[in-house]
Amino acid sequence: MIVAVAALLPGALLGWLVYEAVGDTGGGSGGAAVASSPAVTAGGSAPGSGDDGKEAGASPSPSITEPSPSASAPAGSGPLKGKVVVIDPGHNPANFQHPSEINRQVNIGTGWKECDTTGTATNDGYTEAKFTLDVAHRMRELLEQQGATVKLTQDADRPFGPCVDERARIGNAARADAVVSVHADGSAAGNRGFHVILPGSVHAGAADTRPIVGPSRDLGERVAGKFVRATGSAPANYVGDGTGLVTRTDLGGLNLSTVPKVFIECGNMRDSKDAALLTSGAWRQKAAQGISEGIVSFLRG
């Protein structure tokens, strides 16, 4: 198995799969510390603009059981009792109807950016906003089964947004133990794979990420490792030097966070092969499983 994986994945993240396969027998809920951390690529923004960086398989691991539609854990029970997770589904399905509102500039500490963007879509019109909500709903059910209190920054329950600064404030106000912002990229065809975006060290204006850089990196590395294991997806071949990790200092959702937070770009909607995965409900369940297991691993320490 390890030989097969080595043919698919670059070296830094391979260590994750070796460890997951032989060293973390409890899966995401086992809480074992990682044996080694993949390298993080420092740098500025990926191609494009907007707070998500855009201008544009394997079976699920056994540590979190795939839910039935009616499955629900009693409130406050389970290994994550007392933990608060905020899921931030990128964009809003109705953003396109409110161009003036989402184009309003907000301060992100290092400068000014649009309140929000419409996000991207597949060539067949499946929008990123629909994708992120679907994955967020699946994650919420999985994490609530573990006993976590789960909050979404939006659930298509508002006309637009929230703005990127408000998204950060929602996690802060909830005193979240972990926040994950779910996205899909809109890069060029041929660019494939996922990447996790980590906050860089920022101390400017209202932004001070210094206390969360370390724990956010831990969260991001665990999410990346579990995502590979659950989905079989490889790290992006166009950012992150094959590690699946990118550090950025230009995203308001990260800059203004006071709690551990990462973004995940689950794949590239503009590539036909990635789009086939992103539009599959079965694959989205695996994606939700992988991200959730990364969160569980982080919260259990």
Side-chain angles (χ1 to χ4, degrees):
M1 179 190 73
I2 294 172
V3 173
V5 170
L8 295 174
L9 299 181
L13 198 54
L14 174 60
W16 266 99
L17 283 197
V18 174
Y19 177 74
E20 293 293 341
V22 301
D24 187 8
T25 56
S29 61
V34 293
S36 61
S37 299
V40 176
T41 301
S45 61
S49 61
D51 198 58
D52 57 354
K54 292 183 275 298
E55 190 160 83
S59 298
S61 305
S63 55
I64 296 180
T65 304
E66 184 170 328
S68 64
S70 59
S72 178
S77 67
L80 297 187
K81 178 180 179 180
K83 298 295 186 181
V84 177
V85 177
V86 171
I87 304 171
D88 179 28
H91 314 290
N92 180 313
N95 271 358
F96 74 97
Q97 297 175 327
H98 300 271
S100 61
E101 290 89 348
I102 67 169
N103 287 325
R104 177 175 64 86
Q105 299 285 296
V106 298
N107 194 303
I108 64 167
T110 55
W112 296 79
K113 270 201 168 178
E114 299 91 345
C115 158
D116 202 2
T117 65
T118 59
T120 188
T122 67
N123 293 333
D124 292 332
Y126 179 63
T127 66
E128 181 184 3
K130 290 182 179 179
F131 169 83
T132 63
L133 272 177
D134 182 80
V135 173
H137 292 160
R138 295 169 187 267
M139 288 175 59
R140 178 171 60 191
E141 188 164 8
L142 290 166
L143 291 165
E144 285 179 345
Q145 287 180 350
Q146 297 290 303
T149 297
V150 182
K151 301 182 179 181
L152 271 58
T153 58
Q154 60 92 12
D155 199 3
D157 53 354
R158 52 189 296 161
F160 65 91
C163 295
V164 296
D165 55 340
E166 184 182 353
R167 289 175 185 267
R169 288 196 297 270
I170 290 170
N172 299 344
R175 298 183 180 180
D177 296 287
V179 184
V180 174
S181 188
V182 180
H183 289 270
D185 212 352
S187 189
N191 290 343
R192 296 199 60 197
F194 79 94
H195 63 282
V196 176
I197 304 175
L198 314 175
S201 183
V202 173
H203 186 211
D208 186 359
T209 63
R210 293 174 298 176
I212 68 162
V213 166
S216 296
R217 175 172 176 168
D218 184 19
L219 171 62
E221 289 173 346
R222 291 174 188 258
V223 166
K226 299 293 186 179
F227 193 84
V228 170
R229 184 181 183 185
T231 66
S233 292
N237 62 6
Y238 60 101
V239 290
D241 294 332
T243 66
L245 299 171
V246 175
T247 298
R248 292 179 59 175
T249 59
D250 65 322
L251 301 180
L254 296 179
N255 287 358
L256 300 175
S257 182
T258 59
V259 295
K261 182 174 182 179
V262 298
F263 282 41
I264 182 166
E265 300 278 3
C266 296
N268 177 20
M269 290 195 131
R270 308 302 290 181
D271 176 83
S272 60
K273 292 180 180 179
D274 268 10
L277 300 176
L278 297 164
T279 55
S280 162
W283 188 89
R284 291 196 299 274
Q285 183 65 35
K286 293 179 181 180
Q289 181 111 6
I291 301 168
S292 299
E293 288 186 352
I295 294 170
V296 171
S297 176
F298 171 74
L299 293 180
R300 300 198 71 185

